[in-house]
Amino acid sequence: MRDRRNLPHSRVKSTKVGTTMHLKVEAAAQILLGFAFCQTFGAHIPCREPSDAELESMLSHHLAPGVSLLAPMEDVLPDQDLKSCPVNVSQTSSRLQDRSASPWSYRVNEDPRRYPRRVLEAYCLCEGCLVDRQEDRSVQSEPFYQEVPVLQKSGQCEAGQYVYQPSRLQVAQFCICTFP
């Protein structure tokens, strides 16, 4: 083994430069790895859902003042099981959908990535329409759709809160009789 004192001056200098460069590269790598770790694990801010009041406020900007496009869930009971076509029109019911020649009922359209998460939509009970106490298939029962504004969860997180974007949803409101 040689004594450093016996090495030429230029070789000692290049060894010091090489060691210094190696330390700089190693320090830069540690900084980058630390930054990547913090981005992935350490600095993760959990994203929270906006409150229903916040989402309602955001949605109201897309509606005319005082307008609500969706029937309140309390006023209409959705079916637990889908109903079938009745034998004839109920003339004594207080509900329009039971007295119609094209009867309908409601089901819940649920999407956890949308606000409102639960939307009531109509579905037709018959293929044809009820005429003279029987189903007439020369006419058709068809849903009447209305486009309603909703908010769709984007998957992005800003300032610790999930971002919802305005969107439109076709919702069946009731059923009508049409000619094919």
Side-chain angles (χ1 to χ4, degrees):
M1 202 173 218
R2 288 185 168 171
D3 186 6
R4 278 190 173 193
R5 287 177 290 188
N6 295 338
L7 291 175
H9 179 65
S10 63
R11 182 150 179 179
V12 171
K13 188 174 183 181
S14 71
T15 303
K16 285 183 181 179
V17 169
T19 303
T20 304
M21 182 60 87
H22 176 73
L23 290 175
K24 287 180 181 178
V25 169
E26 188 176 316
Q30 286 178 350
I31 289 170
L32 288 174
L33 284 173
F35 178 73
F37 180 82
C38 285
Q39 288 293 334
T40 306
F41 302 106
H44 178 70
I45 298 170
C47 208
R48 71 171 184 84
E49 288 290 336
S51 70
D52 282 352
E54 290 170 309
L55 290 169
E56 181 69 33
S57 174
M58 289 175 7
L59 185 59
S60 69
H61 294 290
H62 302 282
L63 299 172
V67 171
S68 176
L69 296 176
L70 304 172
M73 296 285 286
E74 310 84 51
D75 295 348
V76 179
L77 294 174
D79 295 334
Q80 296 300 320
D81 298 315
L82 297 182
K83 293 181 179 177
S84 59
C85 186
V87 176
N88 57 31
V89 176
S90 171
Q91 297 177 359
T92 59
S93 176
S94 63
R95 299 182 326 169
L96 180 61
Q97 68 254 31
D98 295 334
R99 298 190 320 266
S100 173
S102 179
W104 71 89
S105 194
Y106 293 98
R107 61 181 160 216
V108 175
N109 174 331
E110 196 160 358
D111 182 351
R113 297 184 55 78
R114 177 188 67 215
Y115 182 83
R117 288 166 188 79
R118 295 170 47 110
V119 174
L120 282 177
E121 62 183 359
Y123 69 95
C124 302
L125 299 180
C126 306
E127 289 181 34
C129 295
L130 298 177
V131 179
D132 296 327
R133 297 183 183 242
Q134 62 183 354
E135 185 177 3
D136 181 354
R137 294 196 183 200
S138 67
V139 288
Q140 297 174 339
S141 275
E142 291 189 15
F144 176 84
Y145 290 94
Q146 182 175 10
E147 194 173 74
V148 296
V150 295
L151 298 173
Q152 200 67 43
K153 189 175 183 178
S154 70
Q156 296 174 330
C157 185
E158 288 181 11
Q161 183 169 287
Y162 285 112
V163 175
Y164 280 74
Q165 299 291 332
S167 184
R168 305 205 66 77
L169 179 68
Q170 292 282 339
V171 178
Q173 301 292 311
F174 53 85
C175 293
I176 57 174
C177 287
T178 63
F179 290 101

